[in-house]
């Protein structure tokens, strides 16, 4: 029935404060970003009243880790190799690329020369990189930073591998993954790399 999605949408929209809606809205999971406002509305109505419900928890996680352009990027506060806490929000006023990577991730390492080149090109214009490592070994993490010449200061990791708190906040399930945010801390784009990243930075900073 071609009308079915519209009917389901209308019903859920009208009954956003009904617990069943948290379960039924997953009908739209394949087009999640298109139906994001509906998920958000249902989440906002239900999360206070039914915080332990699995369906509510699921849509809350989807909504809070979906970084649509224009949304505020969630805070990350993690420690650098010297044990000093570095916050993403401390970089407000700069265009920041959050880079989720690891020493053992070959595609990440292959992309690093491109990232270093772009950092050198735009750092004086207000470009900063905030690298969140999914490593477990501090030695391997530090060796990779040195070997690849990742000269920026903001390198953080809790050395928990895939259960990294920063990765969880952003719903990261595979790396390399990047999130580009503007000077106000809002998302510009996700998962840009290579030529796409170079083009976007050129657009932001001029040549």
């Amino acid at each position: 029935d071609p009308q079915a999605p519209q009917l389901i949408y209308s019903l859920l929209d009208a009954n956003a404060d009904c617990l069943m809606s948290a379960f039924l809205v997953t009908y739209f999971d394949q087009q999640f970003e298109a139906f994001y406002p509906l998920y958000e509305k249902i989440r906002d109505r239900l999360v206070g009243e039914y915080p332990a419900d699995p369906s509510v928890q699921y849509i809350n996680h989807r909504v809070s880790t979906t970084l649509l352009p224009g949304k505020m990027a969630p805070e990350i506060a993690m420690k650098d190799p010297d044990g000093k806490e570095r916050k993403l929000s401390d970089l407000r006023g700069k265009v920041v690329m959050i880079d989720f990577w690891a020493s053992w991730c070959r595609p990440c390492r292959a992309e690093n020369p491109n990232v270093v080149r772009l950092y050198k090109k735009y750092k004086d214009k207000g470009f900063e990189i905030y690298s969140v490592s999914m490593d477990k070994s501090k030695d391997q993490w530090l060796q990779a930073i040195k070997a690849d010449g990742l000269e920026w200061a903001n390198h953080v990791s809790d050395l928990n591998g895939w259960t990294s708190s920063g990765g969880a906040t952003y719903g990261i399930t595979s790396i390399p993954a990047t999130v580009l945010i503007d000077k106000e801390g809002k998302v510009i784009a996700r998962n840009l790399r290579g030529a796409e990243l170079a083009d976007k930075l050129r657009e932001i900073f001029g040549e």
Side-chain angles (χ1 to χ4, degrees):
D1 178 359
Q3 293 297 310
Q6 190 53 51
L7 276 169
I8 294 170
Y9 181 91
S10 304
L11 269 167
L12 294 178
D13 194 44
N15 296 283
D17 43 12
C18 166
L19 185 57
M20 196 65 184
S21 295
F23 171 70
L24 292 174
V25 74
T26 58
Y27 174 85
F28 295 111
D29 266 9
Q30 294 304 312
Q31 304 142 279
F32 175 75
E33 295 199 353
F35 287 93
Y36 177 85
L38 180 62
Y39 279 79
E40 189 174 44
K41 180 178 181 180
I42 293 170
R43 189 278 306 265
D44 291 349
R45 297 279 179 89
L46 297 176
V47 74
E49 204 172 339
Y50 305 104
D53 180 81
S55 295
V56 175
Q57 288 179 343
Y58 170 75
I59 61 169
N60 185 36
H61 178 73
R62 287 292 305 257
V63 168
S64 55
T65 58
T66 298
L67 303 168
L68 298 178
K71 274 193 74 177
M72 285 300 293
E75 176 71 293
I76 304 177
M78 295 170 77
K79 293 200 165 95
D80 72 7
D82 298 323
K84 177 186 167 198
E85 186 177 76
R86 291 184 179 269
K87 290 183 177 175
L88 180 62
S89 57
D90 289 343
L91 302 176
R92 272 304 135 73
K94 296 190 175 214
V95 173
V96 181
M97 186 177 86
I98 312 167
D99 190 12
F100 296 93
W101 75 296
S103 65
W104 45 260
C105 163
R106 282 197 181 147
C108 305
R109 303 291 297 270
E111 172 70 3
N112 276 343
N114 181 51
V115 175
V116 170
R117 183 179 61 79
L118 292 169
Y119 176 72
K120 287 181 169 163
K121 185 171 179 182
Y122 294 114
K123 65 178 179 180
D124 295 334
K125 294 188 173 185
F127 179 50
E128 195 50 69
I129 296 172
Y130 186 93
S131 290
V132 181
S133 160
M134 306 295 218
D135 276 286
K136 285 189 168 175
S137 157
K138 186 173 180 179
D139 287 346
Q140 286 170 357
W141 175 37
L142 295 182
Q143 279 168 8
I145 292 171
K146 191 173 176 191
D148 293 2
L150 311 181
E151 60 184 66
W152 46 92
N154 291 288
H155 285 280
V156 298
S157 183
D158 51 20
L159 299 174
N160 282 333
W162 276 116
T163 55
S164 156
S165 62
T169 302
Y170 279 75
I172 301 301
T173 54
S174 66
I175 53 175
T178 64
V179 181
L180 193 63
I181 61 176
D182 69 13
K183 293 175 182 178
E184 281 81 54
K186 292 179 179 165
V187 176
I188 299 171
R190 290 190 75 160
N191 292 329
L192 297 178
R193 50 180 144 304
E196 282 185 326
L197 177 60
D199 289 347
K200 179 54 85 174
L201 292 177
R202 192 180 305 119
E203 186 188 306
I204 293 168
F205 292 111
E207 194 36 78

